[in-house]
Amino acid sequence: MKNYLLFIAIGLIIFTASFNAYKAYSVLPKETEMLTAIQLRLQNDSPILLIEKSSLFDTDITVVLFEQEERNSFALFKSNRLNDKLKLSLVQPTIQEDQRMLFKTNNGNYIIFTSPLFEPIHSISFTNRSKKKYSFYVKPITPSSKNIYITKNTVPRNLHDSMLENMQFFSENGASITN
């Protein structure tokens, strides 16, 4: 009898977790559905114009660049393999000139940042509080984005947003880039 109750309890837990995951991923991977989800999150009735949509490397993330009220912005969607639907994970209502963040994917963490610099950025580096230096190659987050970058490889999970404050930028030939 105890084994029977244990089996039912485990089954209910698995069913509840699966149902919640299925319900959270409710956006169809169509442009209109994605833009509607963004508009609902922003709680703004102004029309949204899609600039570009692309996948991040081999992760479960789709990047959407869009324009609303003459401001460029971006959103990140996570995909679910069970029901082939998306979940809106992040919306940046405005792309600020100097914005840095860590973003978690199914393949690890990445650094996403914007740059006010006009010269293309090839790599970044920064030092944590214990003076350990980190360096990463970067690329534009989408082919047409000129000032939004992402690390090409995953970054250690122990990094925090506060560590990104003293980030340095480098060109393809290794020269430091400054404002």
Side-chain angles (χ1 to χ4, degrees), residues 102-141:
L102 288 168
F103 190 74
K104 297 177 182 171
T105 71
N106 62 325
N107 288 353
N109 297 346
Y110 290 88
I111 298 172
I112 298 174
F113 66 95
T114 60
S115 168
L117 305 172
F118 295 107
E119 189 174 341
I121 298 171
H122 183 67
S123 63
I124 58 170
S125 73
F126 54 90
T127 308
N128 68 7
R129 290 184 184 147
S130 62
K131 304 297 182 204
K132 181 174 181 182
K133 186 174 182 176
Y134 295 94
S135 296
F136 302 101
Y137 291 107
V138 298
K139 72 174 213 158
I141 199 165

Side-chain angles (χ1 to χ4, degrees), residues 40-178:
L40 288 173
R41 174 77 64 89
L42 292 174
Q43 297 178 346
N44 189 336
D45 292 336
S46 300
I48 294 178
L49 174 67
L50 178 73
I51 297 173
E52 185 175 5
K53 178 179 95 169
S54 68
S55 296
L56 273 187
F57 315 118
D58 52 348
T59 67
D60 63 346
I61 303 297
T62 300
V63 178
V64 175
L65 294 178
F66 64 95
E67 181 182 306
Q68 185 177 37
E69 296 177 347
E70 298 182 14
R71 291 185 311 223
N72 288 341
S73 309
F74 72 94
L76 301 176
F77 288 85
K78 286 190 177 187
S79 62
N80 183 353
R81 295 185 183 135
L82 296 176
N83 65 359
D84 293 329
K85 291 186 179 180
L86 305 171
K87 173 175 82 170
L88 183 57
S89 297
L90 174 73
V91 176
Q92 287 301 123
T94 304
I95 297 175
Q96 299 169 0
E97 282 191 3
D98 193 16
Q99 192 172 15
R100 301 155 189 198
M101 69 184 87
L102 288 168
F103 190 74
K104 297 177 182 171
T105 71
N106 62 325
N107 288 353
N109 297 346
Y110 290 88
I111 298 172
I112 298 174
F113 66 95
T114 60
S115 168
L117 305 172
F118 295 107
E119 189 174 341
I121 298 171
H122 183 67
S123 63
I124 58 170
S125 73
F126 54 90
T127 308
N128 68 7
R129 290 184 184 147
S130 62
K131 304 297 182 204
K132 181 174 181 182
K133 186 174 182 176
Y134 295 94
S135 296
F136 302 101
Y137 291 107
V138 298
K139 72 174 213 158
I141 199 165
T142 65
S144 69
S145 67
K146 302 281 188 258
N147 65 339
I148 308 172
Y149 291 88
I150 186 165
T151 50
K152 287 185 177 180
N153 297 317
T154 58
V155 299
R157 293 192 185 272
N158 63 348
L159 294 183
H160 302 283
D161 286 328
S162 62
M163 294 179 181
L164 307 178
E165 292 173 6
N166 60 354
M167 191 183 300
Q168 296 175 314
F169 306 105
F170 298 93
S171 65
E172 191 169 359
N173 64 4
S176 180
I177 305 171
T178 57

